[in-house]
Amino acid sequence: MIKIPPQPPINELNVLVIDGQSLVQDTIKSAFMQLGIEYVRCAQNAFYALRLCEHISFDIILVAFDVRSDKDGFNLLEEMRFKGFIAKTTSVIFLSADTSAELVNCVIELQPDDFWVKPLDNSRVIQRINHILKIKNKLYRLNYCFDQEEYPSAIYLAQRQLEDESLVQYRPQINRMIGRCLFNLQEYADAETFYRQLLSQYDYGWVAVGLVRTLLKQGKTKQAQTLADGLLERDDTRFATYDTLTEFYIEKEDYEKGYALIKEASKLAPRNIERHRKAWDLARLNHDPMGQYLATQSMAKYAKNSIHDRPELALNVIRAGIDLAATVSATQSKNLLAEIERKLAIVEQEYASVSDFNSQLTVIRARLLSLQDNKKQAEELMQNQSQVNSWHSIEDNLDKVKALHEVGQREQAVSILERMKEQIGDNRFTSQVMAEYIDQEHHERSEIHHSPKELAEMASVHYKNKRYAPAYKMLTQALQLAPKNPNIGLSLLKVLARLAQDEGLNEEQQSGLKHCKALLKTAELSAQQKLKQAQYVEAINQHHSVRR
């Protein structure tokens, strides 16, 4: 059993109130004073709150969502956790007049001890503070052990506390801690038995979600999925269930299913930057350029004034926009490029003095020129950009790979990809997904020498000259790079209709036909596109035969 330091007496507790409204500060301060707590400090914004935390270890922290001027309360609370100012033994209370589902989901992720809705009532504040202090006092030793990752000691203490009849009202919190300890110790079978016993007593969402997690870890997928289907219908468990299933499918390398789930979780709690980052990685792996673009936009939006905020986020929005522009129609591409140019001008103006940005901006300019068919100018810009810069991020080097490939320097692009795996960090999710993505890029850029847009344009020329076999090959490659693009799918269906009429479809083309039908079935098509689709399908059906 580890040595646990004594808990400070109530009159020596340090309290920090972070709120821009003096009335709120006075109400909370008065309530603490009535409870015998005198060391109450107030901060009107995030800057001063962080400064105070650098010098004082606070036992209780109350933070408002609307902190004004520099950061919102969500970003501040996240930063305080990141910097170690908040431990398991710290009581955290979130204050907000906004009770929207999106905000509440985001706050729940940061696991505060309580959520108070403004305006505050003095008697209610005293009541809630008393309740929180009692819980913290009773569970102090247990929380301390968990903080120190002494899980066996935490379980021992928790089991003893469950036998104490005076702690009967705290049994849900104690049991929850036991479940988390068993899971962290990877005692999944014991955790399953534990959660099943709890489920017969309580209807708490965390019990059912915990059981799903332990079942998945043991490979009991069918049981877990049956239980998870019900949890996705519940407001109190939907969010955690999406995250649990996402983690499972990523571990099983089912990246398409994991991506679909993480997008749903991101909608429920849009402020989580790390989840948007995972969605971006999975969007790339699943060839979803629109998903990439939306994820990078969300990252840049919600990272503003947070610990995640950095200039690279703006660059990533631009890069994802270029990727998207290379896959859409000419009209859509033109509009998107105009938007990208505006974003790029802002970045160049804001970060003109950052010397490290020169190389990244050069690569972006080269990619824009390639997309606008100015290959010669793009190639000139890329003359001195063929090396891997280990001090640059993976995103910088990936963008360089794309630029080199687009100007025809394919060997240099593939060479950079081969050396990039050394840059992958030790984050489990990132290393797994990014390694898979780099392998995918290496294969595709070695085998396919053009962008989806260029391949579609070449296929159009072949089709007009009645060279249907090479047109089919070009469009098949384009669809490999952009498997969710309905325009490419419709063009491929058109070519398949002519091949079917001329000589019938071989087994490979028949497989391509199935892919086209599946893609177009779920795509949003205009009335004219639907008419064309029906005509092509009818033509294929009239000449239906499989050539061996």
Side-chain angles (χ1 to χ4, degrees), residues 379-423:
E379 190 173 0
E380 289 174 359
L381 284 178
M382 293 303 297
Q383 285 294 330
N384 301 314
Q385 299 290 333
S386 60
Q387 298 297 317
V388 172
N389 294 324
S390 58
W391 63 89
H392 283 176
S393 70
I394 285 180
E395 305 309 330
D396 294 337
N397 286 323
L398 271 176
D399 211 37
K400 187 178 294 185
V401 165
K402 295 171 185 176
L404 289 168
H405 190 268
E406 287 158 2
V407 299
Q409 297 180 28
R410 301 181 190 95
E411 290 183 5
Q412 294 95 317
V414 171
S415 177
I416 291 176
L417 282 170
E418 289 172 350
R419 287 174 281 164
M420 277 184 61
K421 283 195 175 182
E422 299 172 7
Q423 283 191 279

Side-chain angles (χ1 to χ4, degrees), residues 182-195 210-211 213-218 220 247 251 428:
L182 288 171
F183 192 88
N184 288 348
L185 288 169
Q186 299 182 17
E187 300 287 349
Y188 301 127
D190 289 342
E192 179 190 348
T193 302
F194 177 76
Y195 281 123
L211 179 56
R213 294 181 73 200
T214 57
L215 289 171
L216 290 173
K217 285 295 184 181
Q218 296 174 88
K220 299 179 180 180
E247 181 182 341
E251 287 181 357
R428 186 175 180 182

Side-chain angles (χ1 to χ4, degrees), residues 475-495:
L475 288 170
T476 300
Q477 290 183 341
L479 206 58
Q480 183 179 342
L481 298 177
K484 303 182 187 301
N485 190 306
N487 293 319
I488 295 174
L490 201 59
S491 296
L492 183 55
L493 193 64
K494 178 181 177 182
V495 173

